[in-house]
Amino acid sequence: MGRGGIRGFGLRWPTRWAAGHRRPGQIRLTGRQWLILGVFATTATVVAFGAGLPEPPSPVPGALVSAARAALSGLPVLSDRPPHDAAYRREAFGPAWTDAAGVAGAGNGCDTRNDILDRDLTVTARASTAGCPEAVAAGTFTSPYTGRTVGFRRGRGSAAVQIDHVVPLSYAWDMGAAAWPASTRWAFANDPANLVASDAASNQAKSDAEPARWMPPLRAFHCQYAIQFVTVLHAYGLPVDAPSRTTLDTALGSC
């Protein structure tokens, strides 16, 4: 992928992101998978209007829905999510928001959290920090999970906007990531394809829940959420639990 994003699909990475920073063990998304996630990123910003009611995201092209359905049908299926492994530690996925994970944007001098804020927010102010010389200091965005506009300001108000792992780290661990090499876990935790800015309440309510237990409050966003969840599982070779497979299939049916 070249600097500036996926041309023609509206997915724009920050201009400071460099291409080609991949390391052994990282999973490379195919062109079709990036195309699917390009549409996800384009439609992730849901516009609020009127008396605060969310406007549904734009329809997803049928070809992308078909590709996601094909990916879902090819996923290995476990009858249930395995009992949570008490050995799980966040540290197994590397330092939080490290800039050295070998994914798109890695090595650009800014931590992953700042990269995603820069990608997903309408930035109104910047500041130099220890983790990023052009960190987002203030901005707004519309949470794709609720359709509500949220303001961001670095400092006490920064927790209002959080970065969600669409496929949660501990879910991935339980489903097989425990056996991955460290480099792949680092990549997974910082891969922009698996990250989206979210309102704090939704991120906290979701926690590490799989789709069978949590889907975005904004039902109109279920299609896009399912597409991204399925595509990330497929790209990283992870299985899906049977109840979540049913939920994801239903969500794709709503596209």
Side-chain angles (χ1 to χ4, degrees), residues 45 115-122 140-142 163 195-197:
T45 303
D115 284 339
I116 301 303
L117 291 174
D118 195 25
R119 185 193 71 184
D120 291 358
L121 272 62
T122 298
T140 61
F141 92 118
T142 306
I163 308 302
L195 298 172
V196 64

Side-chain angles (χ1 to χ4, degrees), residues 3 13-18 21 95-119 123 125-137 154 189-192 195:
R3 183 185 298 271
W13 305 116
T15 55
R16 65 172 180 269
W17 285 25
H21 294 279
W97 309 130
T98 178
D99 188 38
V103 294
N108 66 357
C110 285
D111 60 90
T112 304
R113 174 177 165 79
N114 271 297
D115 284 339
I116 301 303
L117 291 174
D118 195 25
R119 185 193 71 184
V123 180
R126 297 186 182 277
S128 178
T129 69
C132 182
E134 297 182 20
V136 176
R154 183 167 296 279
N190 292 277
D191 194 333
L195 298 172

Side-chain angles (χ1 to χ4, degrees), residues 8-9 24 42-43 55 83 97 112 127 135 145-146 156 166 171 175 177 187 194 200 221 226 238 246 249 252:
F9 297 104
T42 303
T43 58
E55 179 181 346
W97 309 130
T112 304
Y145 291 165
T146 65
R156 292 184 178 180
V166 176
Y171 177 76
M175 302 300 281
N194 191 35
F221 193 68
L238 287 171
T246 299
D249 186 60
L252 292 175

Side-chain angles (χ1 to χ4, degrees), residues 57-178:
S58 301
V60 177
L64 301 184
V65 179
S66 296
R69 283 188 173 278
L72 179 61
S73 68
L75 293 178
V77 181
L78 304 183
S79 59
D80 287 292
R81 176 176 178 172
H84 183 55
D85 184 357
Y88 165 77
R89 295 290 184 274
R90 171 61 180 83
E91 294 76 15
F93 287 83
W97 309 130
T98 178
D99 188 38
V103 294
N108 66 357
C110 285
D111 60 90
T112 304
R113 174 177 165 79
N114 271 297
D115 284 339
I116 301 303
L117 291 174
D118 195 25
R119 185 193 71 184
D120 291 358
L121 272 62
T122 298
V123 180
T124 58
R126 297 186 182 277
S128 178
T129 69
C132 182
E134 297 182 20
V136 176
T140 61
F141 92 118
T142 306
S143 174
Y145 291 165
T146 65
R148 309 295 181 181
T149 300
V150 180
F152 171 84
R153 185 169 294 277
R154 183 167 296 279
R156 292 184 178 180
S158 63
V161 178
Q162 299 181 7
I163 308 302
D164 179 44
H165 288 94
V166 176
V167 178
L169 301 184
S170 63
Y171 177 76
W173 178 273
D174 293 342
M175 302 300 281

